[in-house]
Amino acid sequence: MNQDDSGTRKIRVAAMTRVEGEGGLDVRVTDGRIEHVRLQIFEPPRFFEAFLRGRPLEEVPDITARICGICPVAYQMSSVHALEAALGVEISPEIRRLRRLLYCGEWIESHALHVHMLNLPDFLGYPGALEMARDFPEHVERALRLKKLGNDMLECLGGRAIHPINVAVGGFYRAPRRSELSEFIPGFIAGLQLAEEATRFVATLDFPDFHQAYETVALVHPDEYAMCEGRIESSDGLSIASDDFGTHFVERQVEHSTAMQAVRRETGEPYLLGPLARINHSRDRLSPAAKRLADEIGWETPCLNPFRAIVARSLELVHAFEEALDILKNYTPPQPPRIAYGYRAAAGSSATEAPRGLLYHRYQVDESGKVTQAEIVPPTSQNQTQIERDLRDYLPRVITLPDPEVAEACEKLVRCYDPCISCSTHFLKVRVGRS
Amino acid sequence: MKPLASDQGNDVPTLVIGLGTPHGDDAVGLVLGQDLATWATDQGWTQVQVRSLRTPIGILDILDGSDRFARLVILDACVSDRPIGHFECWSWPHDAWETARCTGSHDLALPDVLTLAERLRRLPRSVTILGITIAPPSPAAESGLSATLQAAMPRLLRQVRREIMHDDPAAVAPSAVDSTFENGSRT
């Protein structure tokens, strides 16, 4: 045990693995009491909002896609919807469906990676996917197959799998031919089966009995499992349009993090975003196969155990495949692929559901089509305060363990959030001081 | 031309993967791969398949079993204490790769990808990594290779060809064979 003369116990994890970005965790314990838990994000600020000022609005989807290599589509979707709201652009139903297909591709590649390669090793007792592959090659094989299907879809619709370049304000620069998308159908049928297999397996894992009194927040749509559109709803009764996000949610600067942390404006309390929140709010709008599977595995709603997020994420994987298949089978190329628009001085906002949770964008543009103000609130910066709250509540269960085991337990909990620290500033080193 | 050594009696080509980004000298693996592909086409040499990747994890997708390869050759930029343009050849596995790790956690470093491919029984029998020393990458790098590397490209391409064809000297055009190993090392 690392304890100094004053009795302060210090536990340090130099570099937490299997989360995206760079950061640390600082836990201080005095007389067995947890003094503070700080998620220290020290990845330098990336100033994307400032880069956008003065740029033509057409550049926004491509610039914001650069914020993340895992969820670039989320940034593109939130940005184009916000800009279209500002310009008064109404997209066609065909463009809307093609955007949902693109988003399904991103959910598939991101969720498949996290469920199998980043999160599953924690439950099976391996330091990582590389070690897990020796004993459980089938899980890694499944991950690679699923992820490839997602990536191939992004490449087809987005022009390339990482940082797509085909998303435009008003639609797409080029819509794929029907034959191009039909080729995906056999692979996605197989993918759906693999996703169901993954969900049945992860539902049998041993989960810590840890439940939190979360206020969950997610986009909710009356007719579908929300991805790109809907009202922002919370388990505490909030139901607002995305335009009102700033009235009810606020970002604040904290000394120990280069990422802003978001809380509810009215209460100053944290809230939970992501797959658990989404399923809690929209279970009845999951695709038929995902809904049947949720019933089959006995999924209880609301689920407030962060460790079970791996199951929620897998259910969403099933949903994404099934919805993608529906779109693929009924695809009609949008004509035109991009809706024309004119410039006007206006502001617009949008929230869409990134794989890790709600992603809010707001832009102000001038009459020449230049961005004059941009605001981006990523899911990980919103979840950050809740992660610290979870750690504070979870630590008493593990604090009597040796330091390395405490650190490992903290890492496992944080990983359940699939945090993308690069997005929020945008990894983790854990340091625990005990006195 | 005579094919390379085959697997189980079949004519299985060599897979060459150029790794890198288009930014500055990090593109050297991509450029060498493209030059090799052009040369192979010109020579009518069909026993090599060349692919380009920005990140190593895509190797797992290429080695998904749909094609079988007797040999995998990776072309990649590396940072070392040798001069820019230095050519290094490693056979996998090699101790030198034990400490190489990825900087991005949502990706896997080349040694991890190769280890994973091995554990998933996807790895060809022979794996060679050809590294070209570049200056440490800079965010300010412009597209295209530096003048130093551009000048070294003819030599580097000859060295790549020789490494790929060393099992099959008959396949090498006489002009492509050098009598000495130029500015490089094999470990």
Side-chain angles (χ1 to χ4, degrees):
Chain A
M1 189 176 290
N2 184 358
Q3 195 160 336
D4 65 18
D5 294 342
S6 65
T8 297
R9 187 176 168 197
K10 296 176 179 174
I11 301 172
R12 183 173 295 183
V13 174
M16 184 166 152
T17 55
R18 288 181 275 132
V19 299
E20 175 59 35
E22 295 174 2
L25 186 65
D26 187 12
V27 179
R28 190 162 296 275
V29 183
T30 305
D31 299 329
R33 184 174 51 84
I34 295 157
E35 268 188 26
H36 71 232
V37 178
R38 289 175 179 162
L39 189 62
Q40 293 177 310
I41 292 178
F42 44 76
E43 183 152 325
R46 297 169 70 200
F47 305 117
F48 268 88
E49 287 102 328
F51 293 157
L52 290 165
R53 272 187 234 134
R55 308 300 305 177
L57 62 89
E58 285 78 10
E59 293 182 7
V60 174
D62 291 340
I63 293 176
T64 55
R66 290 282 172 171
I67 292 174
C68 186
I70 297 294
C71 50
V73 171
Y75 285 91
Q76 294 189 312
M77 290 296 109
S78 286
S79 66
V80 293
H81 280 91
L83 288 164
E84 287 160 6
L87 300 172
V89 180
E90 290 285 335
I91 59 168
S92 64
E94 291 79 13
I95 290 173
R96 189 176 183 280
R97 284 172 65 81
L98 205 53
R99 284 184 174 172
R100 282 185 71 86
L101 181 61
L102 181 62
Y103 227 148
C104 286
E106 178 161 285
W107 278 26
I108 288 169
E109 60 90 10
S110 179
H111 281 3
L113 177 75
H114 189 266
V115 166
H116 296 87
M117 308 282 275
L118 305 179
N119 206 185
L120 188 55
D122 286 336
F123 292 96
L124 298 182
Y126 293 92
L130 214 59
E131 295 79 7
M132 188 177 76
R134 207 191 303 268
D135 300 326
F136 293 100
E138 68 273 24
H139 298 316
V140 178
E141 291 280 8
R142 191 196 299 123
L144 294 173
R145 287 183 64 185
L146 292 171
K147 188 173 185 331
K148 186 173 188 316
L149 288 165
N151 281 346
D152 288 349
M153 179 58 72
L154 294 188
E155 199 167 329
C156 176
L157 295 180
R160 59 189 186 194
I162 302 172
H163 305 137
I165 47 169
N166 189 32
V167 171
V169 177
F172 290 85
Y173 290 108
R174 173 190 175 273
R177 294 185 297 274
R178 193 193 299 265
S179 59
E180 285 177 86
L181 290 189
S182 300
E183 290 173 8
F184 281 91
I185 292 173
F188 271 56
I189 290 172
L192 175 58
Q193 291 171 339
L194 287 171
E196 289 176 333
E197 181 185 299
T199 308
R200 289 190 179 94
F201 174 73
V202 298
T204 66
L205 297 171
D206 284 332
F207 300 101
D209 186 21
F210 179 66
H211 302 266
Q212 290 287 79
Y214 293 126
E215 179 179 4
T216 55
V217 174
L219 209 56
V220 175
H221 189 278
D223 306 319
E224 60 194 15
Y225 199 74
M227 281 182 176
C228 293
E229 297 156 2
R231 292 178 67 79
I232 298 171
E233 293 192 4
S234 99
S235 52
D236 286 5
L238 183 74
S239 176
I240 57 168
S242 61
D243 280 344
D244 294 327
F245 178 88
T247 308
H248 301 277
F249 301 89
V250 62
E251 284 189 302
R252 62 187 186 187
Q253 186 80 51
V254 292
E255 194 180 340
H256 59 274
S257 176
T258 54
M260 304 279 270
Q261 293 191 344
V263 289
R264 291 277 277 111
R265 190 182 285 277
E266 295 91 336
T267 61
E269 290 292 305
Y271 53 98
L272 176 78
L273 304 175
L276 269 185
R278 287 194 289 254
I279 293 191
N280 283 348
H281 287 263
S282 299
R283 175 179 179 155
D284 57 340
R285 296 173 196 85
L286 281 166
S287 71
K291 220 181 320 189
R292 277 197 306 273
L293 199 51
D295 293 340
E296 178 192 318
I297 63 173
W299 181 260
E300 291 178 5
T301 309
C303 176
L304 301 173
N305 181 341
F307 291 98
R308 288 188 182 271
I310 190 172
V311 184
R313 205 166 272 118
S314 302
L315 285 165
E316 285 193 336
L317 200 50
V318 173
H319 173 94
F321 271 109
E322 195 170 28
E323 175 161 355
L325 272 168
D326 180 62
I327 297 170
L328 289 168
K329 289 173 180 170
N330 299 292
Y331 174 62
T332 303
Q335 289 294 345
R338 185 156 53 115
I339 306 298
Y341 54 84
Y343 295 143
R344 67 183 188 190
S349 63
S350 173
T352 71
E353 285 288 350
R356 286 148 197 83
L358 191 132
L359 168 61
Y360 172 78
H361 285 216
R362 182 180 185 280
Y363 299 96
Q364 201 161 324
V365 294
D366 64 19
E367 59 283 346
S368 66
K370 298 275 190 359
V371 175
T372 57
Q373 192 264 345
E375 183 185 4
I376 298 172
V377 187
T380 295
S381 70
Q382 296 181 70
N383 271 335
Q384 217 183 151
T385 320
Q386 188 62 60
I387 294 173
E388 289 182 350
R389 174 75 62 87
D390 279 9
L391 285 165
R392 178 180 284 277
D393 293 345
Y394 187 61
L395 270 162
R397 298 172 178 229
V398 296
I399 202 69
T400 55
L401 296 171
D403 289 358
E405 290 178 37
V406 175
E408 190 182 325
C410 290
E411 286 189 86
K412 287 179 178 175
L413 177 55
V414 174
R415 272 196 290 271
C416 290
Y417 278 81
D418 189 14
C420 192
I421 292 170
S422 298
C423 280
S424 70
T425 65
H426 303 258
F427 201 92
L428 233 75
K429 290 181 181 173
V430 181
R431 186 189 308 146
V432 181
R434 307 190 196 216
S435 57
Chain B
M1 285 188 173
K2 184 180 170 187
L4 288 178
S6 62
D7 190 13
Q8 298 177 341
N10 298 318
D11 289 342
V12 180
T14 294
L15 171 64
V16 177
I17 294 178
L19 274 178
T21 68
H23 309 297
D25 284 351
D26 190 44
V28 68
L30 301 175
V31 175
L32 274 173
Q34 288 158 4
D35 288 355
L36 178 71
T38 302
W39 178 85
T41 303
D42 291 347
Q43 299 292 314
W45 192 56
T46 58
Q47 299 306 306
V48 63
Q49 189 182 120
V50 183
R51 304 283 290 268
S52 299
L53 288 174
R54 290 175 70 97
T55 58
I57 197 167
I59 294 172
L60 291 163
D61 291 336
I62 297 175
L63 298 176
D64 64 356
S66 51
D67 291 309
R68 287 190 311 144
F69 301 98
R71 189 176 183 206
L72 169 65
V73 179
I74 309 279
L75 305 173
D76 199 3
C78 66
V79 175
S80 74
D81 55 3
R82 311 302 284 270
I84 293 171
H86 176 80
F87 181 85
E88 192 97 19
C89 175
W90 294 276
S91 291
W92 173 267
H94 192 281
D95 292 345
W97 292 86
E98 282 299 305
T99 56
R101 285 294 173 263
C102 193
T103 52
S105 48
H106 268 126
D107 202 355
L108 290 173
L110 181 59
D112 293 337
V113 167
L114 296 177
T115 302
L116 194 52
E118 197 167 27
R119 289 181 183 165
L120 298 175
R121 300 178 187 281
R122 295 183 179 198
L123 210 57
R125 276 187 204 158
S126 166
V127 177
T128 307
I129 300 159
L130 305 180
I132 296 94
T133 297
I134 65 168
S138 157
E142 295 177 2
S143 55
L145 300 177
S146 65
T148 311
L149 266 190
Q150 278 185 31
M153 287 306 282
R155 168 182 60 83
L156 289 168
L157 184 59
R158 286 196 301 276
Q159 289 175 303
V160 169
R161 288 202 309 250
R162 183 170 47 211
E163 280 303 324
I164 289 172
M165 297 169 151
H166 72 84
D167 289 340
D168 183 21
V172 187
S175 62
V177 181
D178 301 296
S179 56
T180 56
F181 195 71
E182 313 154 83
N183 190 24
S185 53
R186 187 195 298 267
T187 55

